[in-house]
Amino acid sequence: DAGITQSPRHKVTETGTPVTLRCHQTENHRYMYWYRQDPGHGLRLIHYSYGVKDTDKGEVSDGYSVSRSKTEDFLLTLESATSSQTSVYFCAISLGTHADTQYFGPGTRLTVL
Amino acid sequence: TQLLEQSPQFLSIQEGENLTVYCNSSSVFSSLQWYRQEPGEGPVLLVTVVTGGEVKKLKRLTFQFGDARKDSSLHITAAQPGDTGLYLCAGPTEDSNYQLIWGAGTKLIIKP
């Protein structure tokens, strides 16, 4: 198994509160990704990182921010959580080469009430 | 805009039956990947197909990449309950190799 952990694994929060999800890897992979997965939508990219302090937006980045201060850690922050952000969030890593495999963490189930 | 459409969205069959699921696009992809996701876990790569017309086999699973590299199929022979899961296809975006476009998946249930 790729060394990817996510914390917390489950979280329930209230609308308007800030939430930070953490992804930690032990593989020293350059690329890290945050996805959300919702029924009928598959995986949608929120933000990704291609190195320390190098990040870019994905297709559903509104309402989310990220930071990567160390190679091994990639944080996803919901500045002010909304019910539409209730989802399962997955972190993934890759080497970034052509046709490269993405390795996924176990996911965080977030419920915003 | 590149899109990957998977069909069927949901399939429930008896153990021992054969099945095929599809991943289609109007765009050409340099490669396509198939992942399987089990409940409560992240997706795990099954195979990557790169060459048009390529066929890859993984035990009872056969993957094919269309000649025009716009579609792919996954055929399972003699399905078993352990094959149950969400099957996702993904391909690299036109702009980069490190971002993937994902299909919505086929949820497969194999009943014993």
Side-chain angles (χ1 to χ4, degrees):
Chain A
D1 290 342
I4 309 168
T5 56
Q6 292 185 232
S7 58
R9 293 294 314 279
H10 302 271
K11 186 170 182 66
V12 179
T13 191
E14 295 193 348
T15 297
T17 60
V19 176
T20 296
L21 309 183
R22 180 179 183 245
C23 177
H24 178 78
Q25 63 150 327
T26 59
E27 306 297 319
N28 202 35
H29 280 27
R30 180 181 175 190
Y31 290 88
M32 299 185 76
Y33 311 81
W34 276 108
Y35 290 96
R36 59 179 290 174
Q37 186 175 38
D38 304 287
H41 289 278
L43 289 162
R44 292 184 289 175
L45 183 65
I46 304 171
H47 282 278
Y48 65 97
S49 170
Y50 46 96
V52 173
K53 298 185 179 178
D54 291 323
T55 65
D56 206 348
K57 297 179 179 180
E59 63 177 308
V60 290
S61 59
D62 287 349
Y64 302 94
S65 62
V66 290
S67 65
R68 192 171 179 195
S69 59
K70 297 185 290 186
T71 298
E72 58 266 34
D73 290 325
F74 193 30
L75 303 181
L76 176 70
T77 298
L78 289 65
E79 303 289 348
S80 177
T82 67
S83 58
S84 65
Q85 293 176 313
T86 292
S87 187
V88 181
Y89 291 86
F90 286 98
C91 173
I93 65 174
S94 78
L95 288 170
T97 56
H98 176 65
D100 190 28
T101 303
Q102 289 194 5
Y103 299 93
F104 285 81
T108 294
R109 182 172 294 276
L110 176 67
T111 302
V112 184
L113 302 175
Chain B
T1 303
Q2 292 175 287
L3 291 174
L4 286 169
E5 296 184 352
Q6 293 190 244
S7 61
Q9 292 183 9
F10 180 79
L11 186 59
S12 178
I13 63 172
Q14 293 294 137
E15 180 178 1
E17 295 183 8
N18 301 332
L19 65 107
T20 302
V21 299
Y22 301 92
C23 174
N24 295 313
S25 177
S26 58
S27 304
V28 175
F29 282 85
S30 57
S31 63
L32 282 177
Q33 300 176 342
W34 285 91
Y35 290 75
R36 180 168 65 206
Q37 183 180 17
E38 300 187 11
E41 300 181 6
V44 176
L45 180 72
L46 293 174
V47 77
T48 301
V49 286
V50 180
T51 305
E54 182 177 6
V55 176
K56 281 192 173 179
K57 292 190 175 183
L58 189 64
K59 296 183 180 178
R60 294 173 294 98
L61 279 60
T62 301
F63 303 84
Q64 185 162 8
F65 200 13
D67 291 341
R69 291 184 287 126
K70 292 183 177 182
D71 55 83
S72 182
S73 63
L74 160 58
H75 181 79
I76 301 179
T77 303
Q80 298 180 0
D83 296 325
T84 292
L86 179 67
Y87 289 81
L88 296 159
C89 66
T93 66
E94 292 173 330
D95 303 332
S96 76
N97 289 324
Y98 49 83
Q99 287 188 62
L100 294 175
I101 293 170
W102 294 82
T106 292
K107 186 172 183 179
L108 177 63
I109 295 177
I110 310 299
K111 296 176 285 187

